[in-house]
Amino acid sequence: MTTTLITNIASLVTNDPAQGDGTPLGLLTDAAVVLDGEKIAWVGPADKAPAADETYDAEGRAAIPGFVDSHSHLVFAGDRTQEFNARMSGRPYSAGGIRTTVAATRAATDEELEANVTHYLAEALRQGTTTFETKSGYGLTTRDEARALRIAARHTDEVTFLGAHIVPPDHADDPAAYVELVTGEMLDACAPHARWIDVFCEKGAFDGDQARAILTAGKAKGLHPRIHANQLSYGPGVQLAVELDAASADHCTHLTDADVDALAQGDTVATLLPGAEFSTRAEWPDARRLLDAGATVALSTDCNPGSSFTSSMPFCIALAVRDMGMTPDEAIWSATAGGARALRRTDIGVIREGARADLALLDAPSHVHLAYRPGVPLVGEVWQRGSRRVTAER
Amino acid sequence: MTTTLITNIASLVTNDPAQGDGTPLGLLTDAAVVLDGEKIAWVGPADKAPAADETYDAEGRAAIPGFVDSHSHLVFAGDRTQEFNARMSGRPYSAGGIRTTVAATRAATDEELEANVTHYLAEALRQGTTTFETKSGYGLTTRDEARALRIAARHTDEVTFLGAHIVPPDHADDPAAYVELVTGEMLDACAPHARWIDVFCEKGAFDGDQARAILTAGKAKGLHPRIHANQLSYGPGVQLAVELDAASADHCTHLTDADVDALAQGDTVATLLPGAEFSTRAEWPDARRLLDAGATVALSTDCNPGSSFTSSMPFCIALAVRDMGMTPDEAIWSATAGGARALRRTDIGVIREGARADLALLDAPSHVHLAYRPGVPLVGEVWQRGSRRVTAER
């Protein structure tokens, strides 16, 4: 196996509190990293670095762990440009919402869906995302949900069954029958292809009892729960997530004090998705309140063609700092280590001996620039599983 | 001279109302463009395109005129990461503001300043900006201001003398003497290297009378005025800009009805700089109010290391649509044709026979995606004066 020394890193976010300045970011200056195959073999001061087969000069740039995007919806077809344009232009538009994407996704070929996933993943990788979770949820039939999961599983281990995204039009008259389908035949067909099960717990989608039934059925089939919770209104989602030991409660825009307490006490991560609030002009989730209460916060893109069509983790960091009360350090931790917690992973989101060799070099001297220079594509080189996958045009 | 046919453009923003759909964007579908040297030779439907020496297949992507960034401050040294980090983290920090950058800029070598300008220009070009204005204003001595302008002029024709950025610490006791310097010896030394003269007209910087004296002196030396006006508070800047026929009043965050009327009646463009409001958590300028009154609006980055360290015109477009009441079409017009108006240019910001061959291809089927997909680096290929300067990694 070839070893690679990346040296002359002005500032390195390790997310290992045993390193550097003793903060959660474990910040090292004048640092180096040695990669050995798909793993990190050594991390420390550049002047103490061991020899390696190859050397890469970071030229005084900053490095961070690759982003862990723990919430995306990439198996879809079509886009919703006209709906977005009308909404932002104040023009009436009979928006089909998720249903529009469901119809397009059902009509698409496997090859079209696969090409879409590949396209958006490459786009995310160029922006520093080395791990992503993605979901079904635009099929909503046994065949189409299982197909989406099979396609997703070719690209990531973090695959989530979201048959309970909405009640599809073909079941509008009998939601109970749809819940029965999701927890029965559809779950049987989907469980082998997924690690996670998710529910959109919201007025107009699935209520607390339905969500509990679906997640409990999923757990019985070996899937681990996560929940779309408290996005558009107050509701039972967050507390249900903690009760069921879900890895993550996602959105968390409308929280009572009891919701915040539950997150602070439990092991469920609060995953905030500022791209959704940005693109729908909605109220921001209050990250500061969650952090001050002691909850663990992750940041993710929610990349989907309806409510948040961004694949940019740096953009989410900039929003979290500007509008959600996070410091730059907290936002970068949440977009890397926080995402790893939301996926219950210890091998990613961290630059430490034995961890996966996933890291991004920034065209900037510090990680703070991800918030300080909003919108600027600062991610230069990206290593994923030890391979250099992106090379900056400099 | 070699001619190049760019064909198979799914959607082309020409900004020529004689084209296509009759809106200000002059939108053509299934379009082609022929470049001849540095100029555009032909624009129209792909199936009517004339032959050319070379053909480039846009593969169904969208194209727009290159962005015209009519307000930036790129001749500087140092950055203000710690100040930004402290402000966003709620930590006390004795911020030097512009003075910090003035000290660093004065201490820098010509080579350091030149390297910085080159770096940020390349970064902007990768994001689709093919014309940029840039200013002095971090020297604030005759020698340092003239030096900044000489360096800027190696990279752009749109150079602005901003000796009146702030009263420098060395003149704090006698602002009148500084105005005398700016309108006398400094202007004499700077005028040969600039096209424009600018003043930061604001409480704590220069008042209306000082601004009038400085701009009038500049006009007498053949410079054309533009003004930093009404950014932090109400003030005389906007109406002074219109009175002096300034090409642009920049910022326009705090406007009275009389200010809006003046902009609507005059030929002065209102240039809005949302990056500044984003990075300082300030109130947004109301683009909708200006547009509804009939004013011409431009969008620009204000790229500088203090209040707006973004070089991303797509980011400014996304903010303008989300937070300033612009439609996606209006925002894209303002970032291209609007910037050209703010520089009183007719040869850029438009894709028309005889115009400069500056255009950007997006990794998206329509220009709306610049707002619909915030933060995502969608600019693929960029042509500047007919040369392909940026090539997408696809």
Side-chain angles (χ1 to χ4, degrees):
Chain A
M1 219 125 53
T2 308
T3 57
T4 303
L5 168 67
I6 306 173
T7 190
N8 198 9
I9 302 172
S11 163
L12 174 68
V13 171
T14 66
N15 287 338
D16 177 359
Q19 292 280 10
D21 63 353
T23 69
L25 286 195
L27 202 62
L28 287 175
T29 51
D30 301 321
V33 178
V34 177
L35 315 183
D36 186 359
E38 297 194 356
K39 296 282 179 66
I40 291 169
W42 185 89
V43 185
D47 59 7
K48 302 226 169 92
D53 301 329
E54 295 174 352
T55 298
Y56 183 84
D57 185 351
E59 297 176 357
R61 288 179 286 168
I64 60 171
F67 295 120
V68 179
D69 188 350
S70 61
H71 185 137
S72 78
H73 302 251
L74 297 185
V75 191
F76 67 87
D79 70 25
R80 308 222 299 262
T81 312
Q82 289 183 298
E83 176 185 326
F84 173 85
N85 200 3
R87 182 167 79 236
M88 290 296 163
S89 303
R91 285 198 307 269
Y93 184 84
S94 123
I98 292 172
R99 285 163 192 79
T100 307
T101 302
V102 169
T105 304
R106 287 177 178 174
T109 65
D110 289 15
E111 292 67 31
E112 286 164 342
L113 294 178
E114 179 97 38
N116 239 2
V117 173
T118 304
H119 175 84
Y120 293 109
L121 285 187
E123 182 184 275
L125 184 67
R126 284 197 297 274
Q127 297 170 85
T129 301
T130 49
T131 302
F132 70 99
E133 178 268 13
T134 203
K135 301 175 199 297
S136 65
Y138 296 122
L140 308 186
T141 66
T142 298
R143 173 188 161 275
D144 289 301
E145 285 293 297
R147 172 169 85 138
L149 296 172
R150 279 197 312 272
I151 290 170
R154 287 179 208 140
H155 298 275
T156 177
D157 297 334
E158 303 296 348
V159 174
T160 301
F161 169 44
L162 180 60
H165 198 186
I166 54 164
V167 176
D170 30 277
H171 282 79
D173 295 339
D174 192 356
Y178 187 67
V179 173
E180 223 170 278
L181 175 65
V182 169
T183 54
E185 171 196 301
M186 194 188 285
L187 177 62
D188 291 342
C190 288
H193 308 296
R195 181 178 177 211
W196 306 97
I197 184 163
D198 193 349
V199 177
F200 185 23
C201 183
E202 187 71 50
K203 290 185 183 78
F206 298 89
D207 67 21
D209 290 341
Q210 291 169 323
R212 181 193 304 276
I214 290 162
L215 297 175
T216 304
K219 282 181 95 162
K221 290 281 179 185
L223 300 181
H224 203 87
R226 43 203 319 112
I227 309 192
H228 282 66
N230 302 51
Q231 176 185 4
L232 305 174
S233 56
Y234 294 94
V238 162
Q239 294 191 50
L240 181 64
V242 177
E243 178 196 324
L244 296 178
D245 189 34
S248 180
D250 294 30
H251 285 291
C252 294
T253 312
H254 294 85
L255 299 184
T256 63
D257 288 347
D259 293 332
V260 173
D261 287 348
L263 288 165
Q265 303 302 321
D267 290 328
T268 300
V269 172
T271 298
L272 309 184
L273 309 167
E277 279 80 24
F278 186 88
S279 291
T280 60
R281 291 191 182 128
E283 189 185 325
W284 299 106
D286 188 347
R288 185 78 263 142
R289 181 182 177 206
L290 286 161
L291 290 165
D292 288 347
T296 301
V297 171
L299 284 172
S300 180
T301 63
D302 193 16
C303 188
N304 79 78
S307 57
S308 181
F309 204 4
T310 185
S311 56
S312 173
M313 292 293 279
F315 178 67
C316 294
I317 288 169
L319 295 178
V321 169
R322 196 228 188 225
D323 289 311
M324 291 157 51
M326 300 185 89
T327 68
D329 283 10
E330 287 167 342
I332 285 145
W333 189 93
S334 291
T336 51
R341 294 272 185 101
L343 295 171
R344 302 230 162 144
R345 295 274 294 265
T346 56
D347 61 327
I348 55 175
V350 61
I351 297 183
R352 182 171 49 205
E353 191 186 323
R356 229 168 70 176
D358 291 352
L359 62 120
L361 269 187
L362 308 180
D363 281 333
S366 102
H367 62 284
V368 175
H369 285 64
L370 289 167
Y372 181 32
R373 309 213 58 215
V376 180
L378 287 182
V379 172
E381 266 81 350
V382 179
W383 280 261
Q384 189 183 40
R385 294 179 183 272
S387 296
R388 191 144 130 239
R389 299 288 305 276
V390 172
T391 302
E393 180 193 348
R394 300 191 79 195
Chain B
M1 216 122 56
T2 309
T3 57
T4 303
L5 167 67
I6 306 173
T7 190
N8 197 9
I9 301 173
S11 162
L12 173 68
V13 171
T14 67
N15 288 338
D16 177 358
Q19 292 280 9
D21 62 354
T23 69
L25 287 196
L27 202 63
L28 287 175
T29 50
D30 301 321
V33 178
V34 176
L35 316 184
D36 186 358
E38 298 194 354
K39 297 281 179 66
I40 291 167
W42 186 89
V43 185
D47 59 6
K48 302 227 169 90
D53 302 328
E54 295 175 352
T55 298
Y56 183 86
D57 184 351
E59 298 176 358
R61 287 180 285 169
I64 60 172
F67 295 120
V68 179
D69 188 350
S70 62
H71 184 137
S72 78
H73 303 250
L74 296 185
V75 191
F76 67 88
D79 70 25
R80 308 221 301 261
T81 313
Q82 289 182 297
E83 176 185 327
F84 173 84
N85 200 1
R87 182 167 78 237
M88 289 295 162
S89 304
R91 285 197 307 270
Y93 184 84
S94 125
I98 293 173
R99 285 162 192 82
T100 307
T101 302
V102 170
T105 304
R106 286 178 179 174
T109 65
D110 289 16
E111 292 68 31
E112 287 165 343
L113 294 178
E114 179 98 39
N116 238 3
V117 172
T118 305
H119 174 85
Y120 293 110
L121 285 186
E123 182 184 276
L125 184 66
R126 284 197 296 272
Q127 296 169 87
T129 301
T130 49
T131 302
F132 70 100
E133 178 269 10
T134 203
K135 301 175 200 294
S136 65
Y138 297 121
L140 310 187
T141 66
T142 298
R143 174 188 160 275
D144 288 302
E145 286 293 297
R147 171 169 85 137
L149 297 172
R150 282 197 310 273
I151 290 169
R154 287 180 208 138
H155 299 275
T156 177
D157 297 334
E158 302 296 348
V159 174
T160 301
F161 169 43
L162 179 61
H165 197 186
I166 55 165
V167 177
D170 32 276
H171 282 79
D173 295 338
D174 193 357
Y178 187 67
V179 173
E180 225 170 275
L181 176 66
V182 169
T183 54
E185 173 196 300
M186 195 187 286
L187 177 62
D188 290 343
C190 287
H193 308 295
R195 181 179 177 210
W196 306 97
I197 184 163
D198 193 349
V199 177
F200 185 23
C201 183
E202 187 70 51
K203 289 184 184 78
F206 298 90
D207 67 21
D209 290 341
Q210 292 170 325
R212 181 193 304 275
I214 291 162
L215 297 174
T216 305
K219 283 180 94 161
K221 290 282 180 185
L223 301 181
H224 203 88
R226 44 203 317 113
I227 310 192
H228 281 67
N230 302 48
Q231 176 185 4
L232 306 173
S233 55
Y234 295 96
V238 161
Q239 294 191 50
L240 181 64
V242 176
E243 178 197 323
L244 296 178
D245 190 34
S248 179
D250 294 31
H251 285 291
C252 294
T253 313
H254 294 85
L255 299 183
T256 63
D257 288 347
D259 294 332
V260 173
D261 286 348
L263 288 164
Q265 302 302 320
D267 289 328
T268 300
V269 172
T271 299
L272 310 184
L273 310 166
E277 280 79 25
F278 187 87
S279 291
T280 60
R281 293 192 181 129
E283 189 184 326
W284 300 105
D286 187 348
R288 186 77 265 141
R289 181 182 176 206
L290 286 160
L291 290 165
D292 287 348
T296 301
V297 171
L299 284 171
S300 179
T301 64
D302 193 16
C303 188
N304 78 80
S307 57
S308 181
F309 204 5
T310 186
S311 56
S312 173
M313 293 292 279
F315 178 66
C316 294
I317 288 169
L319 294 179
V321 170
R322 197 231 187 219
D323 289 311
M324 291 158 49
M326 299 185 89
T327 68
D329 282 9
E330 287 167 342
I332 284 145
W333 188 93
S334 291
T336 51
R341 295 272 184 100
L343 295 172
R344 302 233 161 140
R345 295 272 296 263
T346 56
D347 60 328
I348 54 175
V350 61
I351 296 182
R352 182 170 53 203
E353 191 185 324
R356 230 168 70 176
D358 291 351
L359 63 119
L361 270 187
L362 308 180
D363 281 332
S366 104
H367 63 284
V368 175
H369 285 62
L370 289 166
Y372 180 32
R373 308 213 57 215
V376 180
L378 286 182
V379 172
E381 266 82 349
V382 179
W383 280 260
Q384 188 182 41
R385 294 179 182 273
S387 296
R388 191 146 130 236
R389 298 288 305 277
V390 171
T391 303
E393 181 193 348
R394 301 191 76 197

mmCIF file of all heavy atoms in Angstrom, chain A residues 294-313:
data_model
loop_
_atom_site.group_PDB
_atom_site.id
_atom_site.type_symbol
_atom_site.label_atom_id
_atom_site.label_comp_id
_atom_site.label_asym_id
_atom_site.label_seq_id
_atom_site.Cartn_x
_atom_site.Cartn_y
_atom_site.Cartn_z
ATOM 1 N N GLY A 294 -26.888 21.885 25.532
ATOM 2 C CA GLY A 294 -26.050 20.683 25.595
ATOM 3 C C GLY A 294 -26.392 19.623 24.562
ATOM 4 O O GLY A 294 -25.881 18.504 24.628
ATOM 5 N N ALA A 295 -27.240 19.963 23.590
ATOM 6 C CA ALA A 295 -27.560 19.005 22.519
ATOM 7 C C ALA A 295 -26.398 18.935 21.516
ATOM 8 O O ALA A 295 -25.615 19.869 21.398
ATOM 9 C CB ALA A 295 -28.845 19.425 21.810
ATOM 10 N N THR A 296 -26.314 17.823 20.822
ATOM 11 C CA THR A 296 -25.338 17.679 19.737
ATOM 12 C C THR A 296 -26.005 18.114 18.436
ATOM 13 O O THR A 296 -27.107 17.648 18.122
ATOM 14 C CB THR A 296 -24.869 16.216 19.617
ATOM 15 O OG1 THR A 296 -24.283 15.843 20.863
ATOM 16 C CG2 THR A 296 -23.846 16.057 18.503
ATOM 17 N N VAL A 297 -25.330 18.985 17.697
ATOM 18 C CA VAL A 297 -25.911 19.555 16.476
ATOM 19 C C VAL A 297 -25.095 19.125 15.259
ATOM 20 O O VAL A 297 -23.872 19.200 15.271
ATOM 21 C CB VAL A 297 -25.956 21.101 16.569
ATOM 22 C CG1 VAL A 297 -26.350 21.724 15.230
ATOM 23 C CG2 VAL A 297 -26.925 21.541 17.663
ATOM 24 N N ALA A 298 -25.788 18.666 14.236
ATOM 25 C CA ALA A 298 -25.170 18.407 12.936
ATOM 26 C C ALA A 298 -25.742 19.383 11.915
ATOM 27 O O ALA A 298 -26.851 19.890 12.087
ATOM 28 C CB ALA A 298 -25.441 16.974 12.478
ATOM 29 N N LEU A 299 -24.964 19.652 10.876
ATOM 30 C CA LEU A 299 -25.440 20.462 9.747
ATOM 31 C C LEU A 299 -25.437 19.593 8.504
ATOM 32 O O LEU A 299 -24.501 18.821 8.284
ATOM 33 C CB LEU A 299 -24.506 21.654 9.503
ATOM 34 C CG LEU A 299 -24.603 22.827 10.450
ATOM 35 C CD1 LEU A 299 -23.474 23.813 10.160
ATOM 36 C CD2 LEU A 299 -25.962 23.524 10.320
ATOM 37 N N SER A 300 -26.451 19.757 7.681
ATOM 38 C CA SER A 300 -26.542 18.957 6.468
ATOM 39 C C SER A 300 -27.279 19.754 5.397
ATOM 40 O O SER A 300 -27.886 20.781 5.685
ATOM 41 C CB SER A 300 -27.253 17.649 6.809
ATOM 42 O OG SER A 300 -27.380 16.834 5.683
ATOM 43 N N THR A 301 -27.198 19.278 4.150
ATOM 44 C CA THR A 301 -27.756 20.086 3.048
ATOM 45 C C THR A 301 -29.238 19.869 2.801
ATOM 46 O O THR A 301 -29.896 20.743 2.252
ATOM 47 C CB THR A 301 -27.057 19.768 1.713
ATOM 48 O OG1 THR A 301 -27.311 18.401 1.380
ATOM 49 C CG2 THR A 301 -25.566 20.050 1.779
ATOM 50 N N ASP A 302 -29.763 18.648 3.086
ATOM 51 C CA ASP A 302 -31.137 18.317 2.691
ATOM 52 C C ASP A 302 -31.294 18.377 1.174
ATOM 53 O O ASP A 302 -32.390 18.635 0.668
ATOM 54 C CB ASP A 302 -32.126 19.283 3.364
ATOM 55 C CG ASP A 302 -33.576 18.827 3.273
ATOM 56 O OD1 ASP A 302 -33.819 17.649 2.965
ATOM 57 O OD2 ASP A 302 -34.474 19.657 3.509
ATOM 58 N N CYS A 303 -30.224 18.154 0.443
ATOM 59 C CA CYS A 303 -30.268 18.374 -1.014
ATOM 60 C C CYS A 303 -31.439 17.622 -1.644
ATOM 61 O O CYS A 303 -31.539 16.406 -1.578
ATOM 62 C CB CYS A 303 -28.948 17.945 -1.657
ATOM 63 S SG CYS A 303 -28.841 18.398 -3.412
ATOM 64 N N ASN A 304 -32.357 18.369 -2.238
ATOM 65 C CA ASN A 304 -33.530 17.810 -2.910
ATOM 66 C C ASN A 304 -34.071 18.869 -3.855
ATOM 67 O O ASN A 304 -33.805 20.062 -3.663
ATOM 68 C CB ASN A 304 -34.587 17.391 -1.866
ATOM 69 C CG ASN A 304 -35.374 18.571 -1.339
ATOM 70 O OD1 ASN A 304 -36.288 19.071 -1.991
ATOM 71 N ND2 ASN A 304 -35.027 19.058 -0.153
ATOM 72 N N PRO A 305 -34.814 18.474 -4.885
ATOM 73 C CA PRO A 305 -35.184 19.450 -5.915
ATOM 74 C C PRO A 305 -36.330 20.374 -5.530
ATOM 75 O O PRO A 305 -36.640 21.288 -6.293
ATOM 76 C CB PRO A 305 -35.590 18.559 -7.093
ATOM 77 C CG PRO A 305 -36.079 17.300 -6.448
ATOM 78 C CD PRO A 305 -35.232 17.107 -5.222
ATOM 79 N N GLY A 306 -36.927 20.167 -4.348
ATOM 80 C CA GLY A 306 -38.053 21.010 -3.976
ATOM 81 C C GLY A 306 -37.666 22.118 -3.033
ATOM 82 O O GLY A 306 -37.647 23.296 -3.392
ATOM 83 N N SER A 307 -37.299 21.756 -1.813
ATOM 84 C CA SER A 307 -37.161 22.758 -0.754
ATOM 85 C C SER A 307 -35.733 23.182 -0.479
ATOM 86 O O SER A 307 -35.508 24.142 0.258
ATOM 87 C CB SER A 307 -37.766 22.214 0.542
ATOM 88 O OG SER A 307 -37.149 20.987 0.891
ATOM 89 N N SER A 308 -34.736 22.499 -1.053
ATOM 90 C CA SER A 308 -33.343 22.829 -0.715
ATOM 91 C C SER A 308 -32.434 22.201 -1.756
ATOM 92 O O SER A 308 -31.822 21.162 -1.519
ATOM 93 C CB SER A 308 -32.982 22.288 0.678
ATOM 94 O OG SER A 308 -31.643 22.623 1.007
ATOM 95 N N PHE A 309 -32.284 22.868 -2.891
ATOM 96 C CA PHE A 309 -31.546 22.231 -3.990
ATOM 97 C C PHE A 309 -30.065 22.634 -3.940
ATOM 98 O O PHE A 309 -29.469 22.945 -4.962
ATOM 99 C CB PHE A 309 -32.194 22.585 -5.324
ATOM 100 C CG PHE A 309 -31.942 21.608 -6.439
ATOM 101 C CD1 PHE A 309 -31.249 20.426 -6.238
ATOM 102 C CD2 PHE A 309 -32.420 21.875 -7.714
ATOM 103 C CE1 PHE A 309 -31.022 19.535 -7.269
ATOM 104 C CE2 PHE A 309 -32.206 20.994 -8.762
ATOM 105 C CZ PHE A 309 -31.508 19.828 -8.546
ATOM 106 N N THR A 310 -29.506 22.631 -2.746
ATOM 107 C CA THR A 310 -28.066 22.893 -2.633
ATOM 108 C C THR A 310 -27.351 21.614 -2.212
ATOM 109 O O THR A 310 -27.882 20.831 -1.431
ATOM 110 C CB THR A 310 -27.755 24.013 -1.629
ATOM 111 O OG1 THR A 310 -26.340 24.280 -1.687
ATOM 112 C CG2 THR A 310 -28.116 23.646 -0.188
ATOM 113 N N SER A 311 -26.158 21.415 -2.724
ATOM 114 C CA SER A 311 -25.302 20.309 -2.295
ATOM 115 C C SER A 311 -24.088 20.846 -1.549
ATOM 116 O O SER A 311 -23.132 20.134 -1.341
ATOM 117 C CB SER A 311 -24.834 19.522 -3.531
ATOM 118 O OG SER A 311 -24.170 20.413 -4.435
ATOM 119 N N SER A 312 -24.165 22.113 -1.151
ATOM 120 C CA SER A 312 -22.975 22.807 -0.642
ATOM 121 C C SER A 312 -22.934 22.856 0.873
ATOM 122 O O SER A 312 -23.659 23.631 1.511
ATOM 123 C CB SER A 312 -22.945 24.231 -1.203
ATOM 124 O OG SER A 312 -21.901 24.959 -0.603
ATOM 125 N N MET A 313 -22.068 22.063 1.480
ATOM 126 C CA MET A 313 -21.886 22.141 2.927
ATOM 127 C C MET A 313 -21.264 23.487 3.327
ATOM 128 O O MET A 313 -21.654 24.063 4.352
ATOM 129 C CB MET A 313 -21.041 20.967 3.416
ATOM 130 C CG MET A 313 -21.755 19.622 3.300
ATOM 131 S SD MET A 313 -23.190 19.448 4.416
ATOM 132 C CE MET A 313 -22.348 19.010 5.933
#
